[in-house]
Structures are given as C-alpha cells and as structure tokens.
Amino acid sequence: MTTNATTVPAYAAPAAHAPLERTTVPRRAVGEHDVLIDIKYAGICHSDIHQARDGWGEGIFPMVPGHEIAGVVAEVGPGVTKHKVGDRVGVGCFVDSCRECEYCLQGLEQYCTQGMTGTYNALGKDGEPTYGGYSTHIVVDENYTLRIPEGIALDEAAPLLCAGITLYSPLAHWQTGPGKKVAIVGLGGLGHMGVKIAHALGAEVTVLSQSLKKQEDGLKLGADHYYATSDPETFTKLAGTFDLIISTVSAPLDFGAYLSLVKTDGALVNVGAPEEPVALNLFSLIGGRKTLAGSMIGGIAETQEMLDFCAAHGLGAEIEVIGADRINEAYERVIASDVRYRFVIDTSTI
Ligand code: NAP
Ligand code: ZN
C-alpha cells in the first residue's frame, strides 16, 4: 500500500439479495488525520444481512458489509497522534459524523443530528460510498478508530465493536449492577455479549430464548437463569420480575408480553432492528409506569470504555472464524438462529 488512493480486495453483495462475491473496492489516499488499517478480522452482524438484502430500505450497491473490524495500523497520516504503525485498532459502525452538533460534542456521535457516516452503505463527506470490513484494508480518520487493548485476541475483539457496545451502552445507561435483575432476549451475537457484560457488571442475569437449546451455553456465559419463551408458563412465572429487559431480537416481537415481565418503573430497551413495524397496546406501559426505549450502538469514547472494561474482565466474543468463501452460508445460519455466537471472517482469505 502507498499513500495514494488504491483498490483492495473485498467481498461485496453486487445487488440486493445477491450472494456476496469477491471483488475490489477503492480506498482513499491516507489523509492528514487518517490511518490505514490492515484488517485481520471482521465480524458478521445481523445488520449486515438486513442491509445486504434491502431490509431497511434501498441500499447502496455494490455493498461491502462489515462494521466489526479489528486490525493493525499499517500507515498513518502526518497529523495522526492517536495511533502509530503496528497498533491494534478497531472500527465500529461509523467512520465520521458532523463533529459539531450537541450530540457529537457530548461523545454521542451515533446520534449526530446530521447523521453519522456509516462504515458501509453510506456516502462519506466526499460524496463517495463507504465500504466496510469484509476487505483487506480500510482508511479511517483516527478520531473514529478504537484502541484494542492487549489481552483481547483480535478475532474475539472484532464483535465487540458492534455487538459489545450495543449492549454495553444501554446496560450502563440503565445503571446495571449488583441487586439489579436483567433479562436478555435472544442469545445471538448481541445477546451473548449482553449476558457476559451484565454478569460482569454484577447483575442477576436471565436469558429469554426461543428454546432451551442453548441453555448450557447461556449459563456458562454468565446467566443465572434461562427460560424458553415458547413456553407460555415463562410469562406467568416471570411476571413483574425485571428492572431491565434488553431485546436483541432481529424479528418483530410481542413487546406487550415482554413488558409484563418488567417491574413497576422498570424498562424494556429494544436494540433489535426488525424490518417490519410492531403493534403495541399502550396499556402495557401505563400500568406500572414502565419505559419502552431504544438504543443504538455507542459513541467513540464509550466504545473505548467498553473495550477497556472487556479487557479488564477477560471478555471477548464467542466466535466461529470462517474463510470468506463461507460468508453466504454464515448468513443463512444467522437467519436460522444457528450462530454460536458470532461468525468472524479471517480477512486473509479474501
Ligand atoms: P443474531 O445473532 O441473529 O441474534 C438475534 C437472536 O434473536 C437470535 O439468535 C435468536 O435468539 C433471536 N431471534 C431471532 N428470530 C427470532 C424470532 N422470530 N422470535 C424471537 N427471537 C428471535 O443477530 P444480532 O447480530 O445479535 O442482531 C440482532 C438485531 O439487532 C438485528 O436486528 C440487528 O440488526 C440489530 N442491531 C442493532 C444494533 C443497535 O445499535 N441497536 C446494533 C447491532 C445490531 P434465540 O435463538 O436465543 O431465541
Ligand atoms: Zn452490527
């Protein structure tokens, strides 16, 4: 690689619903404040699948998904102070924001009023499409990169850049800690990190999964209790139990049923991003002064805090590392809830 703009190997969906295939994409020249990252691993998030299949609306194609990026700095621009060549770094769901609005100034760049610039399926300030982590290299402004602490292997760190922060942020915001009863709905990529982090924060953790198939894993990950939501008795037994429930479910859910499990003054926080709207009887909120909220990833500072927290507690993701030729197969397994618990692409195979 040189300081000039270049093209790099990548895996892309050429069109919505089309299988991903090997291609090349442009990367900009390394600017004053940019770092060139030699990507080692990229996690597969369910959001990649929603977007590659136009589930959230019309996407930009060809699309190179991937916003759970872990790698090593290969080159730095002359103005870079945060990183040096050889540093272990990560990139999450966004690579830029306006840097001026009230949310950017508070470190809540994910809620930028101008809209953050997604790591892929977005247009950068230069008007060019962004391409994500299913690739060998990426050029990113140093302000939108993270330091991956020693002590977390790069492959196990990659999923923290989205799955980890998406659960850490609401768990922190709703003051998870000892004495709090927290339930995580859905034991997939996000959910399994929620169990690990909530447990490390000292909460009493319950998994609410469609079946008991992953019960043994859930308990090993740190859950104290595990229930199948396919069993109607779960909802009578656990009525009014939780201070906080976080739903990570990728499909529409009966939120009224889950709100019945929340204590008075408790909260149900949804982080899942299903493709269809859901209906809700508002009586499930009124009785019990309950909160139904949403949360989206986390800002750069909080993402760094999460990485440092995970390193201090020895937390990484449970992963299945795959070659790039298995991306399409992995997508089908994620959709079938057959992921234990994050697929991570070894980008040397691209
Ligand atoms: P994932 O690995 O597929 O996990 C989702 C889990 O939800 C599944 O493993 C399954 O767990 C459960 N589930 C799936 N279909 C279900 C259904 N029909 N009914 C009930 N439960 C069902 O996906 P992920 O990568 O964790 O992402 C989860 C969702 O969060 C996606 O919609 C994604 O786009 C979104 N997301 C949001 C943010 C954010 O910032 N808010 C960030 C990243 C991702 P069980 O088998 O245990 O039931
Ligand atoms: Zn994601």
Side-chain angles (χ1 to χ4, degrees):
M1 301 286 295
T2 69
T3 46
N4 298 324
T6 185
T7 56
V8 300
Y11 257 70
H17 299 280
L20 278 77
E21 57 186 39
R22 192 174 189 279
T23 183
T24 57
V25 289
R27 294 298 187 195
R28 67 172 184 256
V30 177
E32 176 84 10
H33 293 286
D34 285 340
V35 296
L36 168 68
I37 301 170
D38 180 2
I39 301 174
K40 301 292 187 192
Y41 297 99
I44 294 180
C45 177
H46 206 124
S47 303
D48 298 346
I49 304 171
H50 289 303
Q51 291 176 85
R53 299 184 177 185
D54 268 358
W56 293 344
E58 216 173 298
I60 301 170
F61 292 92
M63 184 187 296
V64 178
H67 57 210
E68 294 185 336
I69 299 171
V72 174
V73 174
E75 191 178 322
V76 297
V80 169
T81 57
K82 196 172 159 182
H83 301 297
K84 56 183 190 324
V85 171
D87 282 0
R88 304 160 88 243
V89 290
V91 179
C93 296
F94 56 93
V95 289
D96 208 348
S97 63
C98 84
R99 310 177 192 212
E100 291 171 348
C101 74
E102 60 179 304
Y103 303 110
C104 282
L105 294 177
Q106 286 178 63
L108 295 169
E109 300 92 344
Q110 75 275 31
Y111 305 125
C112 173
T113 53
Q114 306 293 309
M116 63 183 189
T117 303
T119 303
Y120 66 87
N121 194 22
L123 296 178
K125 284 179 183 151
D126 57 4
E128 296 297 324
T130 55
Y131 298 107
Y134 299 4
S135 172
T136 58
H137 297 83
I138 190 168
V139 178
V140 181
D141 185 299
E142 63 170 330
N143 295 299
Y144 295 83
T145 59
L146 287 306
R147 185 177 42 76
I148 296 179
E150 296 297 330
I152 315 181
L154 283 183
D155 51 0
E156 294 177 6
L160 302 180
L161 276 306
C162 174
I165 184 59
T166 300
L167 272 291
Y168 182 87
S169 186
L171 285 168
H173 187 77
W174 273 271
Q175 292 153 4
T176 299
K180 291 285 176 77
K181 291 188 178 181
V182 174
I184 304 291
V185 190
L187 194 65
L190 267 55
H192 94 287
M193 285 313 308
V195 171
K196 286 190 176 206
I197 294 169
H199 174 70
L201 288 166
E204 183 178 331
V205 184
T206 299
V207 174
L208 300 173
S209 179
Q210 293 168 96
S211 74
L212 295 179
K213 275 192 277 188
K214 299 179 261 187
Q215 182 172 23
E216 205 182 316
D217 290 348
L219 298 177
K220 271 195 213 138
L221 293 169
D224 301 284
H225 316 282
Y226 201 106
Y227 290 92
T229 52
S230 52
D231 179 355
E233 262 190 36
T234 294
F235 289 88
T236 44
K237 200 167 175 181
L238 299 178
T241 298
F242 300 106
D243 298 287
L244 175 65
I245 299 181
I246 301 185
S247 171
T248 72
V249 172
S250 47
L253 203 64
D254 178 358
F255 282 105
Y258 289 86
L259 279 163
S260 74
L261 310 185
V262 171
K263 279 182 182 170
T264 293
D265 281 333
L268 168 56
V269 179
N270 173 65
V271 297
E275 299 175 7
E276 301 86 27
V278 295
L280 178 67
N281 183 331
L282 293 174
F283 277 91
S284 50
L285 287 173
I286 297 170
R289 196 164 56 184
K290 296 176 186 177
T291 301
L292 174 61
S295 183
M296 188 171 74
I297 45 174
I300 294 295
E302 193 177 39
T303 304
Q304 189 63 60
E305 180 185 305
M306 175 275 308
L307 287 167
D308 295 341
F309 175 89
C310 286
H313 289 82
L315 306 181
E318 304 298 310
I319 55 169
E320 185 173 336
V321 177
I322 58 166
D325 58 340
R326 292 182 55 209
I327 293 171
N328 294 302
E329 174 196 332
Y331 274 24
E332 295 310 318
R333 284 185 52 196
V334 171
I335 289 168
S337 299
D338 179 25
V339 50
R340 310 231 171 160
Y341 284 86
R342 201 57 141 184
F343 288 107
V344 172
I345 303 161
D346 173 351
T347 56
S348 68
T349 62
I350 289 178

